[in-house]
Amino acid sequence: MTAAPDFFQAVVGYRAWHVDDDGWLRPWTFTARAWEPGVNVAVCARDHRHAAPVSNCMCGLYALTDPADRRLNFRADQAVGAVAAWGEMEVHRSGFRAQQACVVALALPDRLGDGARARLERAAERYGVPLVPAAMLSLEARRHGAPLPAGLWGPGPFDGGGGAGGAGGVGVGRQRAAPGLDGARDDGRPARGIALVAHLWLETALGGVVVGATG
C-alpha cells in the first residue's frame, strides 16, 4: 500500500447507476441498495467490524476518475453522473473507493428516448442535482471538488504497466479527502477486490469481469 497525501477538498469522480422508473439510482454490482439523496456513507456488506473502505476488501463507494472511461456507457436503463467524495479513500489507477460521497450531477446524452429521458429527469429531481449535457458533466463536477492529480499513483492494469501476468501489479494508495463541497447538495463503479490467496485482482465492468495477477 502506497502512502498518499491528504487533500483539502472533495475528490470528483464519475460512475453509472441503474435508474429506476421512479428515479432511484441503484448500483449495478454487489448490492441493489439505492444511493440516497445527500450524503452516502459506505458500509461493508461482508464484514461490519471494519469501517469502509479498507485495502483488503471490496467495500466503499465506487467511482472512475475519467469521465470518458469506456465503461460509462449511455444506455436507456442507465444513468451516468458525477459524484463528490471525501473521507478515507482507496485509490487505484482508474478510480477509487470512498468512505462518503454524494451525487452532484447527472448527464443527459445527445440521443435518448422519451422514456429514458423522463427517468433521468425524475432522478435529477429526486437527488436535487442538475441534469447537464454529457459534454458538460466534467465541468459541472469541478464546481464541487477536484480530480485526483494525474500521475499520483503507479501503473494499473489498463496502462500496460503491470496488468494480467505483469510484475508491476496494481497501483493502489490510501488517502483522506476533505468535504469542501462549496455549497453542493450533500448526498463505485466498477467494483474491485483482491483475492489474496489466489494472487488475483478482479474488477467488474458492465457486462463482464476483468481478471489479472497481482504483483
Side-chain angles (χ1 to χ4, degrees), residues 17-26 34-37 123 126-127:
W17 300 265
H18 171 76
V19 56
D20 290 349
D21 288 340
D22 55 3
W24 285 106
L25 301 176
R26 299 183 183 276
W35 276 52
E36 295 289 338
R126 178 177 293 281
Y127 288 85

Side-chain angles (χ1 to χ4, degrees), residues 104-107 124 128-132 140 143-144 185:
V104 296
L106 293 175
V129 299
L131 184 60
V132 300
E140 179 64 28
R143 295 180 57 243
H144 307 283
R185 295 178 178 88

Side-chain angles (χ1 to χ4, degrees), residues 120-198:
L120 285 178
E121 290 173 344
R122 284 192 288 269
E125 181 178 2
R126 178 177 293 281
Y127 288 85
V129 299
L131 184 60
V132 300
M136 301 294 291
L137 184 62
S138 178
L139 183 63
E140 179 64 28
R142 288 173 184 246
R143 295 180 57 243
H144 307 283
L148 289 170
L152 181 63
W153 308 108
F158 300 107
D159 325 296
V170 182
V172 176
R174 188 168 181 84
Q175 72 167 41
R176 182 170 182 84
L181 295 182
D182 300 326
R185 295 178 178 88
D186 290 337
D187 173 278
R189 159 121 140 218
R192 171 174 292 175
I194 296 178
L196 298 175
V197 176

Side-chain angles (χ1 to χ4, degrees), residues 29-195:
T29 57
F30 292 105
T31 176
R33 181 180 177 182
W35 276 52
E36 295 289 338
V39 177
N40 289 264
V41 180
V43 176
C44 183
R46 300 173 60 193
D47 187 351
H48 292 282
R49 293 172 297 179
H50 66 247
V54 294
S55 59
N56 61 348
C57 190
M58 296 179 288
C59 54
L61 300 170
Y62 284 80
L64 296 166
T65 53
D66 183 1
D69 194 294
R70 58 183 172 81
R71 290 165 287 187
L72 297 174
N73 297 322
F74 292 101
R75 297 175 5 188
D77 57 348
Q78 177 168 290
V80 172
V83 301
W86 62 94
E88 298 294 334
M89 303 182 75
E90 290 289 333
V91 180
H92 59 82
R93 184 62 179 85
S94 61
F96 57 81
R97 295 184 282 126
Q99 181 183 18
Q100 299 183 64
C102 64
V103 183
V104 296
L106 293 175
L108 181 64
D110 294 334
R111 298 179 181 179
L112 201 63
D114 291 341
R117 184 186 182 104
R119 283 193 293 272
L120 285 178
E121 290 173 344
R122 284 192 288 269
E125 181 178 2
R126 178 177 293 281
Y127 288 85
V129 299
L131 184 60
V132 300
M136 301 294 291
L137 184 62
S138 178
L139 183 63
E140 179 64 28
R142 288 173 184 246
R143 295 180 57 243
H144 307 283
L148 289 170
L152 181 63
W153 308 108
F158 300 107
D159 325 296
V170 182
V172 176
R174 188 168 181 84
Q175 72 167 41
R176 182 170 182 84
L181 295 182
D182 300 326
R185 295 178 178 88
D186 290 337
D187 173 278
R189 159 121 140 218
R192 171 174 292 175
I194 296 178

